[in-house]
Amino acid sequence: QVQLVESGGGLVQAGGSLDLSCAASGSILRVYTWAWYRQAPGQQRELVAQITRGRISDYQDSVKGRFTISRDDVMNIAYLWMTSLKPEDTGLYYCSAEVQPTDSEAYRTYWGQGTQVTVSS
């Protein structure tokens, strides 16, 4: 079984920064794409950023130039560095990972439980 645990959320003033981490544990042969999503109250979950195993990253337009996604394939951790935060960045941030547990299994997507980010104006 694979578990993802996010950390690093909190309350920050507009213009501030936060660093999120997502650690994967359990039976992990390799992780393909990591992704960060967020969900604001009353809104649908939306993709914020993702990074492939080849370290190709992609961002939602609203966070380009402010957020950076990265990954550590030794520790099986993904990071999201968030700067110049805005009130509209507020939401529950989830990480996901495409994990292949063993050579004989196909990969599947796992999700963390979410970490709250609140940006005050």
Side-chain angles (χ1 to χ4, degrees):
Q1 189 70 313
V2 175
Q3 289 186 324
L4 301 186
V5 178
E6 301 102 334
S7 60
L11 173 64
V12 65
Q13 288 189 332
S17 301
L18 277 176
D19 299 339
L20 304 184
S21 299
C22 178
S25 61
S27 177
I28 301 171
L29 177 63
R30 62 181 62 89
V31 179
Y32 292 96
T33 297
W34 287 93
W36 285 95
Y37 289 76
R38 67 186 177 194
Q39 186 167 20
Q43 303 292 321
Q44 289 191 330
R45 191 176 299 188
E46 60 180 4
L47 177 65
V48 175
Q50 62 182 5
I51 184 168
T52 68
R53 188 165 175 81
R55 285 174 166 71
I56 296 172
S57 57
D58 189 29
Y59 299 89
Q60 182 189 104
D61 284 346
S62 69
V63 308
K64 285 181 180 177
R66 300 189 297 122
F67 290 12
T68 302
I69 188 171
S70 67
R71 58 190 289 162
D72 181 333
D73 289 331
V74 174
M75 301 298 292
N76 290 321
I77 300 176
Y79 302 96
L80 186 68
W81 283 275
M82 305 185 294
T83 64
S84 302
L85 283 161
K86 304 175 182 180
E88 51 264 44
D89 293 319
T90 294
L92 190 59
Y93 281 68
Y94 298 90
C95 71
S96 72
E98 297 173 343
V99 179
Q100 183 180 8
T102 65
D103 269 332
S104 61
E105 296 176 82
Y107 76 86
R108 56 163 289 188
T109 301
Y110 294 85
W111 291 86
Q113 81 290 347
T115 185
Q116 180 67 36
V117 172
T118 303
V119 184
S120 63
S121 57

